[in-house]
Amino acid sequence: MSLRLRRIAIDNFRKFRQPVVIEGLTDGLNILIEPNETGKSTLLEALRAAFFMKHSTKSQLAQSYAPHGDAVGPSIQAQFEVGGDRWSVSKRFLKSPMVEVEGPQGRAQGEEAETRLHSLLGSVKDGRGAGDSSNYGTLGLLWVVQTDALAVKAPGQLVRDRIRSTLEAEVGSIMGGPAYHRVRSGVDEQFGRCWTPTAQRRGPQNDARDRLELAEKAASDAATRLAGLEQAFSDLEAERTKLKVVLRDIADDTDAQTRKDLVASLEVARSAAQVLATRKAEHEVADSKVRTLEDLDERHRRAIQNQSAAQVALAQVQEQRGALREDLAQAERGAEQARIALEGARAQRLEAHAALRAGEARVEAAQRRAALVAARNRHQELLALEAQLAAARAVVATMVPAETLATLDENERAIGQAQAVLDAGATRIRAEGDTGGLLVDGEPLGTQERTITRETRIQVSGAEIVILPPPGTTSAQERLNAALERQQAALRELGLPDIVAARVSHDGGRDAKGEVQTLLARITAATPGDDRLNLAAGADALKALLADEAQDDDEDSGEPPDIEELRAAASAADDVLARAEGVHESAMTALRRADEAHSPLATAEAERRSDLTHATSEIQGIEGRADFVTLAAGLTDALAARAGAAVRWEEAQQNATAHDQDVIKRRIDAIDARERAASERRAKLEKEIARLGGTIESEGGKGLAEREAAARDEVDAARAALERVTEDAETIKLLRDTLDEARDETSAKFVGPVAQQARRYIERLLPGCELVFSEELQLEAVKRGGVSEGCEDLSQGTQEQLAVLTRIAFAELLLVQGQPVSLILDDPFAYADDARLDLMIDILNEVSERMQVIVLTCRDRAFRHVPATRLAINAAIEAT
């Protein structure tokens, strides 16, 4: 059965500080279109508060209902129908909280009213007052606030239970019902003692495993200690044997005598090393002197060779440059002649183009003068047209408007009608003969006919005749007078004598309007633009041009030059210049080639001169040294001295090798190391012998063998206990898994009808798709073309549309069960494209034939064409 809201009244609720009433809600589609910040979401929140929030709650959500800064009691009233019965609820929060529910069973207040309301709507009490929509039952799923619009989520437990109860008769199973939950809760309790939610071992299993680990550790420790005691006896004997060997080695004095001999040999080796160092230094000095003299001789020889080579190369380069000088000079003369010819051609071209520009300027000036004369003629024509236009506009300005003329005609008709009424009902009197003694209201009667519209008195020879006209005559005369006064006032305001003159004024003005349009078109035609004068189209541009132009502008009586002749001369000059440029470019190319051939030779000549100067300078520097004069004898003596030093150095090396300090030191160090190692080994053995003796003394009387046997027994008992606990836990897990498999199998039977119901709509949105629902009836994915897409991977627009369509599917299942169903959408389809939006609106129209649908939106253009009942918050505020 459908729940249909009829009237909503809100006062002091958040932004609604003044009373607001929403009325006129119908059975089908209702649309409330208002801009943002108008209070659409507040309206829905107020409805949820009225139907589901406890009136006495002081929760933070309830505190937020009061307008900011006001200490008032938010109140909501709602009138609605359920199953054809009319109900109403009134609820106030915070200040003097109250609730009253009225229905077919009468009125109820307080807790009784809350209970009756929850029973009617299928909701449960929200103990914390936090606004949990899962407690609101069916309407909590179908009254969709903005924050839930994009959520494709499972319905609450209340809704799932109702859907299951609806489908249980069809699927023939109670899996998922109360009986299943009782069995499952017991199994889950046992499972929770032995397993974590992720199927990890816990509780008794861990305790039994810990007991086994402790027993095994204790047994291992006992066995280790017993084996250690037995090992200590054998180790003690072995260490004592090792100590005897070490003491015997320490008592041997052979190493001490050997070390004494080595120390004596070390002093001899040090003396030989000093002699070796001296001989090595003497040899290095002699060798350095030989290398210095040899290097000086080699440098002098290379310098003489370099000098000869430089002289030969310089002569060759000078000879090559002489052969190229004539070609370079000839190329330079050709380039100079080409340059002079090019400059002449350029000057001739400049003169020809200057003459052409001057001729073009004279022709342009002549054309401008002709255009200016034509513009002055058009200006005279413009002045005449503007004068006519001013006269026509003056007539238009005095024209009686059509509305005014219609008013005057209406007044004339009113005067005629009033006169006709007066003539038909008035009393008329006329006297014949001698009327000298007759007086009408104190004035002579005369012979003219009079119309009597009011009480009139006629005096006749001392008597008085009273004439009483019909009762309506006076009012008819007043209407006639009023109509005449209106007409005269209107004519006076226009300054016209009568309506005929007004008609003449109107007709003349209408003709003048047509003439104005004609004159404007003629003015536009008479004021075209002219590029020669930089003149834009229009009368203002023409006037501005002639105001700035002098009357004798560019007067020139001479004939304009022959432009074609000047252009031919300029073209001929261009050709001459092109030829001159070609000749000049060719001459420059020849000069560049000659220069390219000559430049390397000039550079080479400079380099050869530099090489010759450097070689000569180096020879002079070497020959000027003092040791150069005796270079040959000095080199012979240096070689002999180096040979003697080499002999002495070799003898010193042989002596030093025979007494090597490093070898002697290593042998001494080895003897010292053996002595230290023996001492350290003795200390360690004595320490280990003492430790083993202490261990044997302390562990020998503790009964380690008996302890090790008892520990092995505890290990066996702990292992048996672990096997029993593990077997029990695995049995519970198997039972739980079996229940899950049975539930999944049964859930598929529940999910099938839900998926079939939802597919009726979603197929239109996503053709060819398959729906995947979880056992909690949540749409998890859609399959298209064999590819599964999770809802969270879809676009926001598609998620929002699926959220609405699945809610509609649930609503229709619950509608069959007889649950109170109503669909409210707050600003839906914010991300929908035009095609999807039209489709969703069509679906809402279809759904509204079976249940009430209310859409709160700010998108006027999107819903403007939708046939629905229109609601407006602003209109409701004015109504209150």
Side-chain angles (χ1 to χ4, degrees), residues 160-176:
R160 294 202 302 271
D161 289 344
R162 290 194 178 96
I163 293 175
R164 283 195 175 96
S165 64
T166 302
L167 300 176
E168 275 182 358
E170 300 179 16
V171 300
S173 175
I174 62 170
M175 293 297 292

Side-chain angles (χ1 to χ4, degrees), residues 335-623:
E336 180 64 20
Q337 292 172 359
R339 184 187 62 78
I340 294 172
L342 178 61
E343 290 178 354
R346 285 175 176 167
Q348 182 181 357
R349 180 182 180 278
L350 288 176
E351 292 176 358
H353 279 276
L356 176 60
R357 287 194 297 273
E360 290 176 343
R362 290 184 62 190
V363 170
E364 184 178 355
Q367 292 175 349
R368 177 180 173 80
R369 286 194 297 274
L372 192 58
V373 171
R376 287 175 179 146
N377 293 335
R378 292 197 303 274
H379 182 257
Q380 295 299 325
E381 182 183 358
L382 172 63
L383 295 178
L385 291 174
E386 287 184 340
Q388 297 176 26
L389 179 62
R393 284 176 171 168
V395 174
V396 173
T398 61
M399 167 188 175
V400 175
E403 297 82 0
T404 304
L405 184 61
T407 302
L408 293 175
D409 288 339
E410 183 66 26
N411 289 341
E412 281 294 316
R413 286 193 293 272
I415 291 172
Q417 292 173 357
Q419 185 65 53
V421 172
L422 182 61
D423 291 342
T427 301
R428 292 185 295 275
I429 61 174
R430 184 177 70 247
E432 297 178 356
D434 185 8
T435 60
L438 296 177
L439 298 176
V440 179
D441 293 336
E443 297 180 356
L445 174 62
T447 59
Q448 293 181 349
E449 184 177 275
R450 290 192 177 194
T451 299
I452 304 302
T453 60
R454 56 185 177 81
E455 180 181 320
T456 303
R457 296 179 181 273
I458 301 176
Q459 290 82 24
V460 181
S461 302
E464 188 176 60
I465 300 173
V466 179
I467 300 175
L468 299 175
T473 304
T474 302
S475 61
Q477 183 64 44
E478 292 297 330
R479 287 195 296 272
L480 176 60
N481 292 340
L484 289 171
E485 179 58 30
R486 284 197 303 273
Q487 186 74 323
Q488 293 302 321
L491 291 172
R492 284 195 300 273
E493 184 177 352
L494 296 172
L496 298 175
D498 52 32
I499 191 171
V500 176
R503 290 194 179 98
V504 171
S505 173
H506 176 72
D507 294 340
R510 184 176 55 195
D511 295 338
K513 278 187 176 180
E515 185 177 359
V516 166
Q517 298 300 322
T518 301
L519 289 171
L520 289 174
R522 291 179 62 189
I523 289 173
T524 301
T527 56
D530 194 334
D531 295 337
R532 295 171 297 179
L533 300 175
N534 290 329
L535 174 65
D540 294 337
L542 179 60
K543 292 178 182 178
L545 172 68
L546 295 180
D548 295 338
E549 292 289 341
Q551 292 296 325
D552 55 348
D553 181 58
D554 293 338
E555 291 294 337
D556 188 355
S557 58
E559 288 294 329
D562 187 349
I563 295 298
E564 294 302 324
E565 181 178 350
L566 293 175
R567 286 177 179 166
S571 177
D574 289 340
D575 295 340
V576 172
L577 176 60
R579 288 193 293 273
E581 287 176 343
V583 172
H584 180 265
E585 184 176 351
S586 177
M588 291 302 296
T589 301
L591 177 61
R592 186 166 54 254
R593 289 175 180 171
D595 186 63
E596 288 175 354
H598 182 266
S599 294
L601 294 176
T603 303
E605 182 179 357
E607 292 176 353
R608 301 301 177 268
R609 288 186 184 277
S610 176
D611 293 343
L612 179 59
T613 301
H614 178 71
T616 303
S617 175
E618 187 175 7
I619 291 172
Q620 290 174 354
I622 293 173
E623 291 178 350

Side-chain angles (χ1 to χ4, degrees), residues 663-702:
V663 174
I664 295 172
K665 288 180 179 178
R666 285 197 296 271
R667 292 181 63 186
I668 294 173
D669 291 341
I671 293 173
D672 292 342
R674 282 199 301 271
E675 184 179 355
R676 287 194 303 273
S679 298
E680 292 173 358
R681 179 64 173 165
R682 182 187 62 186
K684 288 181 179 179
L685 289 173
E686 290 178 348
K687 180 179 179 181
E688 182 66 13
I689 290 171
R691 184 187 69 79
L692 292 172
T695 300
I696 293 172
E697 184 179 356
S698 62
E699 295 291 327
K702 293 183 178 180

Side-chain angles (χ1 to χ4, degrees), residues 213-214 306 375 871-872:
E213 290 177 355
L214 290 174
N306 291 340
L871 307 173

Side-chain angles (χ1 to χ4, degrees), residues 1-4 26-30 760-761 764 808 812 815 821-823 840-854 867-868:
M1 59 183 172
S2 179
L3 180 146
R4 297 177 176 86
T26 61
D27 292 351
L29 180 60
N30 300 265
R760 291 175 49 198
Y761 299 109
R764 296 167 64 180
I808 291 174
E812 294 197 337
L815 188 63
V821 172
S822 173
L823 182 63
M840 296 303 295
I841 291 175
D842 291 342
I843 293 175
L844 288 182
N845 267 320
E846 296 175 13
V847 172
S848 66
E849 297 175 0
R850 297 181 290 278
M851 69 186 74
Q852 185 184 56
V853 178
I854 301 174

Side-chain angles (χ1 to χ4, degrees), residues 12-17 63-72 74:
N12 291 324
F13 193 95
R14 291 186 178 168
K15 72 176 299 163
F16 295 131
R17 298 176 185 269
Q63 297 290 335
S64 71
Y65 292 160
H68 183 68
D70 293 353
V72 295

